[in-house]
Amino acid sequence: MFKYWLLYSIIFYSLNCLGQTGLSTQNKKAIALYTEADNYRVRRQFKEAESLLLDAIKKDDQFIEAYLRLGLVYKAQKLYSQALSTFEKGSSYTNDPKKLKAFWFEIGESYFLMGEYQKAQEPLIQYQQNELATIANKQKIESAQRMLNSITFYNEQKQNPSRHRTEPLSDTVNQFLLQYFPVLTADGSQLIFTRRKGNKDTDDEDIMVCDWESNTWSLPKSISPNINSKLNEGTCTITADGRRIIFTSCVGRQGWGSCDLYESVKIGDDWSQPKNLGPRVNSPDWESQPALSADGRVLYFVSDRRGGFGRRDIWYSTKLSNGEWSKAKNAGKEINTVYDEISPFIHVNGNTFFFATNGLDGLGGYDIFKTEKDENGNWQKPINVGMPINNHEDQYALFVASDGVTTYYAHEETDAKGNSVSLLYKTVLSDDVVLASKPLIVKGLVQDAVTKEPLKSSIELIAMKKDSLISFSYSDSIKGTYVLVLPERKEFALIARCPGYMLKSIHLSENDIEHLESKEFNFELVKIEKGKTAVLNNIFFDFNSAVLKQESKSELEKVVAWLKENPSVKIEIGGHTDNIGSTEYNLELSRKRAESVKIYLTNRQIPEYRLVSQGFGSSQP
């Protein structure tokens, strides 16, 4: 008798606890189906969860909690219309604010995710007012407030609509289900992006490239069999000249963490075998979404390693003089928040930085923001780039072409079947957003003056006033081509140095380049032989003076380096003047100018026996 009493007590206790769960039904079968469905829902097995919840509702068509969870199943699949009708039906069976507030939040967020900002506002406010009374879920209260902030931002944007012109790239480019993270070379000759064959994370990702030919983009092709594999190759970045790429790879290559960054170099038309960037950049955690400065000397990327402000932060590393990367540093609180920052991009002007975040007020989810460096090199407060680039959906990346006007980005949307589709778009920015600093693309060819054979030569772009290196590169050893970027329209020197050849330099003033988008400089280098000459175009004196100006230092330092690289060479330094004044006076002035250069070189440890100075006056202008 005691045994049966104990069994009855256990059943009674279980039913009593079940009644205290707060569910709106007493139907045991409905509750069992509801409970089983949630095991599938949390594992994202949505079809099974949907079927069980519909069966639960058949057992009790006023089962409020089953409607809520069924709506969550539809919402998780981005089937927002079905989710809303389910939430609204479920909420119609109760007047209890404790039950209604869950529906208010989900209805408000569903409208928000659809971009129906005005319809989202009232239920979010209702939720917030009721939830604040109990302070039961601080995280959801904060989420509701962020959505309300976004609605306010949307209303402000609507009052001042931008005039961007946006259009998708041609079907030639957008021929895959998913294509994203576009980047361009500085001269706009190549478009590189990532494509995925399907919606699953396990589907193959490859890096593709299109060439700009006959005023249109060519068919996409695999960038290289050395880079793409049967495994995934993801987001990438490329230097201005299109000859150094850094990309993400997560499996199949030797690495330091779950996803690492790798580098490959292009020589002629071939890419080298990728090389892991090593433990100063990569960590045991996740690294992805690299962004190189135009000259390849600063690398920004995203990582979820420890030591940041949020889960995913933007970090950076700089190229050291020995060619290695420095230990990565966090980009700082001016950019990173306690939420996620992704998709960094540094414009070729070196001063404008773009990134995506869900941690700043915007239009919802991830929005694109931009920031500029101040006079001290610090990042200013980020600004939302606004509509139509940003909208209610997540925006993951933006690439701004060197002209500061044209942008490329991926827009993700959901098709009728609930599949994600990502297309590449081009936008011409309106005047209020166009970047103020427009760089100059400097490119050309380096070859032997006699044989016309292409040469691998160092090319340095130097700011004359600051005596600072702006950009540095090598010409391609097979093609002889090079591309550099001049971020500001300032006076500069372009210097080519190749082992076994005479130094050669070019000088351009601000007036020479004021209205140009690009400038071509070809170098024909002369082999070091007795009697050969090279003109130093960046040695300056004031009128009627033999005192070297500060702007001469950059070129003279290159002469010093060239002489040290060629220790057997002896040179004659020839001074020249214009034809104003007497012949005798000009001859003496030119002699003093040549002597000034000689003194500078000897003070930099060039032996005097290697140097002869000679004045020519105005006889050789």
Side-chain angles (χ1 to χ4, degrees):
M1 180 69 182
F2 177 77
K3 181 172 69 172
Y4 294 110
W5 177 84
L6 180 63
L7 180 62
Y8 174 79
S9 298
I10 292 171
I11 293 171
F12 176 80
Y13 179 75
S14 299
L15 289 173
N16 191 44
C17 288
L18 195 61
Q20 292 174 2
T21 59
L23 294 176
S24 59
T25 185
Q26 297 297 317
N27 188 302
K28 297 176 189 177
K29 290 184 178 180
I31 292 171
L33 291 164
Y34 170 81
T35 304
E36 185 183 358
D38 217 44
N39 293 327
Y40 287 102
R41 183 180 70 88
V42 296
R43 295 199 300 266
R44 299 185 66 81
Q45 293 175 266
F46 296 128
K47 294 300 180 186
E48 293 84 350
E50 178 188 7
S51 178
L52 289 166
L53 287 166
L54 287 171
D55 286 343
I57 290 169
K58 285 179 183 178
K59 300 295 182 186
D60 183 345
D61 64 359
Q62 295 189 23
F63 190 175
I64 297 169
E65 293 77 14
Y67 284 105
L68 180 64
R69 285 193 178 170
L70 181 58
L72 291 173
V73 167
Y74 292 136
K75 184 171 162 229
Q77 299 175 82
K78 299 183 179 181
L79 302 173
Y80 299 123
S81 295
Q82 285 178 259
L84 280 166
S85 61
T86 306
F87 290 140
E88 286 166 354
K89 187 170 183 179
S91 64
S92 69
Y93 293 123
T94 180
N95 293 316
D96 182 358
K98 291 182 180 179
K99 291 185 181 293
L100 281 172
K101 65 182 182 182
F103 285 100
W104 287 330
F105 180 88
E106 299 301 340
I107 289 169
E109 188 173 53
S110 295
Y111 276 125
F112 183 83
L113 293 171
M114 293 173 70
E116 298 281 355
Y117 294 104
Q118 304 310 325
K119 291 181 180 179
Q121 189 168 7
E122 184 179 346
L124 288 172
I125 291 173
Q126 284 181 299
Y127 164 78
Q128 199 176 50
Q129 288 173 344
N130 281 271
E131 192 69 73
L132 281 169
T134 58
I135 316 181
N137 194 326
K138 291 183 178 180
Q139 188 175 355
K140 274 196 171 182
I141 291 170
E142 183 183 347
S143 180
Q145 185 57 53
R146 293 181 69 213
M147 283 188 275
L148 289 169
N149 292 343
S150 294
I151 293 168
T152 300
F153 180 75
Y154 167 77
N155 290 330
E156 293 170 355
Q157 287 276 298
K158 199 167 59 172
Q159 298 300 318
N160 300 288
S162 63
R163 298 178 300 279
H164 306 330
R165 301 195 309 276
T166 300
E167 60 183 25
L169 297 187
S170 68
D171 293 342
T172 304
V173 177
N174 284 319
Q175 60 175 266
F176 308 105
L177 185 66
L178 297 167
Q179 42 260 302
Y180 38 81
F181 289 109
V183 297
L184 274 78
T185 53
D187 61 2
S189 63
Q190 287 192 314
L191 168 70
I192 301 104
F193 61 92
T194 305
R195 73 101 178 93
R196 184 189 286 178
K197 288 185 175 178
N199 273 288
K200 298 177 182 176
D201 291 339
T202 54
D203 288 329
D204 186 39
E205 280 184 311
D206 279 337
I207 298 171
M208 311 299 288
V209 60
C210 299
D211 296 311
W212 186 251
E213 298 172 344
S214 304
N215 214 31
T216 189
W217 290 113
S218 68
L219 285 167
K221 60 184 178 183
S222 169
I223 191 167
S224 169
N226 286 341
I227 294 176
N228 288 327
S229 67
K230 293 180 180 179
L231 304 169
N232 285 11
E233 287 72 36
T235 53
C236 71
T237 180
I238 198 161
T239 48
D241 58 8
R243 295 196 296 114
R244 186 177 299 274
I245 191 171
I246 293 177
F247 66 95
T248 309
S249 183
C250 297
V251 289
R253 289 186 168 93
Q254 187 174 0
W256 297 88
S258 59
C259 289
D260 276 6
L261 300 178
Y262 295 79
E263 182 177 31
S264 178
V265 178
K266 190 177 186 181
I267 302 173
D269 293 323
D270 297 322
W271 288 96
S272 65
Q273 287 292 337
K275 177 183 176 183
N276 190 292
L277 291 189
R280 290 182 174 180
V281 174
N282 293 313
S283 75
D285 299 295
W286 177 87
E287 281 77 40
S288 187
Q289 300 172 11
L292 277 168
S293 60
D295 60 2
R297 291 192 291 170
V298 183
L299 171 66
Y300 298 90
F301 61 95
V302 180
S303 177
D304 61 2
R305 67 183 70 188
R306 295 179 182 179
F309 293 86
R311 190 171 75 89
R312 288 182 176 178
D313 273 13
I314 294 172
W315 298 70
Y316 73 96
S317 178
T318 55
K319 185 69 78 73
L320 303 173
S321 58
N322 62 2
E324 298 293 325
W325 289 102
S326 68
K327 184 175 176 60
K329 295 181 180 179
N330 190 280
K333 63 182 180 181
E334 294 83 4
I335 290 174
N336 292 312
T337 71
V338 296
Y339 294 93
D340 286 347
E341 281 67 47
I342 60 173
S343 308
F345 166 69
I346 181 73
H347 189 254
V348 293
N349 65 20
N351 291 316
T352 309
F353 188 77
F354 294 85
F355 64 100
T357 179
N358 60 3
L360 297 172
D361 288 345
L363 292 164
Y366 287 97
D367 272 18
I368 305 291
F369 287 77
K370 79 166 183 174
T371 178
E372 302 272 351
K373 282 183 180 177
D374 61 20
E375 294 179 355
N376 299 317
N378 299 317
W379 296 115
Q380 300 179 49
K381 183 180 178 181
I383 299 171
N384 192 299
V385 301
M387 300 187 295
I389 292 173
N390 289 324
N391 59 25
H392 62 283
E393 297 176 317
D394 289 328
Q395 312 305 320
Y396 293 115
L398 182 73
F399 184 96
V400 183
S402 57
D403 63 7
V405 175
T406 311
T407 72
Y408 295 82
Y409 65 100
H411 174 67
E412 186 176 348
E413 53 193 44
T414 305
D415 64 17
K417 297 180 180 179
N419 294 318
S420 291
V421 178
S422 179
L423 301 178
L424 298 182
Y425 279 74
K426 181 177 78 170
T427 294
V428 179
L429 298 176
S430 57
D431 293 341
D432 57 324
V433 184
V434 168
L435 303 192
S437 178
K438 294 183 181 180
L440 177 75
I441 307 302
V442 180
K443 57 184 178 179
L445 177 68
V446 184
Q447 57 187 1
D448 185 290
V450 177
T451 66
K452 309 303 180 186
E453 288 292 317
L455 296 175
K456 181 181 179 181
S457 169
S458 68
I459 309 289
E460 293 172 286
L461 196 57
I462 297 169
M464 302 300 296
K465 299 292 185 183
K466 298 179 181 178
D467 182 31
S468 61
L469 180 67
I470 302 171
S471 190
F472 172 87
S473 186
Y474 285 97
S475 55
D476 187 284
S477 59
I478 294 177
K479 295 185 174 182
T481 54
Y482 73 91
V483 177
L484 293 172
V485 178
L486 179 67
E488 297 180 285
R489 302 305 179 100
K490 304 293 185 183
E491 183 179 28
F492 75 93
L494 194 62
I495 300 174
R497 279 196 299 154
C498 181
Y501 286 83
M502 301 286 283
L503 188 79
K504 189 160 187 178
S505 67
I506 293 171
H507 169 260
L508 259 86
S509 68
E510 293 181 42
N511 291 335
D512 293 327
I513 57 175
E514 184 178 2
H515 300 296
L516 298 177
E517 292 185 3
S518 64
K519 183 72 176 178
E520 188 168 314
F521 298 104
N522 295 325
F523 289 94
E524 293 194 346
L525 301 186
V526 177
K527 281 190 175 180
I528 298 173
E529 294 175 355
K530 185 177 180 179
K532 300 296 184 181
T533 62
V535 178
L536 302 179
N537 286 296
N538 298 289
I539 309 298
F540 303 103
F541 302 90
D542 280 328
F543 179 74
N544 199 28
S545 171
V547 178
L548 284 163
K549 296 184 73 173
Q550 177 64 24
E551 295 94 308
S552 306
K553 183 180 177 181
S554 297
E555 184 135 323
L556 287 172
E557 285 301 309
K558 302 308 172 190
V559 175
V560 169
W562 180 79
L563 286 167
K564 289 180 178 179
E565 290 168 359
N566 299 278
S568 63
V569 171
K570 298 178 181 180
I571 64 169
E572 177 186 272
I573 303 160
H576 306 264
T577 67
D578 56 29
N579 59 4
I580 299 174
S582 68
T583 302
E584 295 78 11
Y585 182 84
N586 285 337
L587 190 63
E588 179 63 14
L589 179 60
S590 67
R591 186 193 64 77
K592 290 179 179 179
R593 286 179 171 178
E595 187 66 19
S596 293
V597 173
K598 179 182 176 182
I599 291 169
Y600 185 96
L601 298 178
T602 55
N603 288 339
R604 297 288 287 112
Q605 285 75 54
I606 302 299
E608 190 171 357
Y609 74 86
R610 295 180 62 191
L611 308 171
V612 175
S613 61
Q614 175 72 39
F616 293 98
S618 58
S619 63
Q620 297 180 16

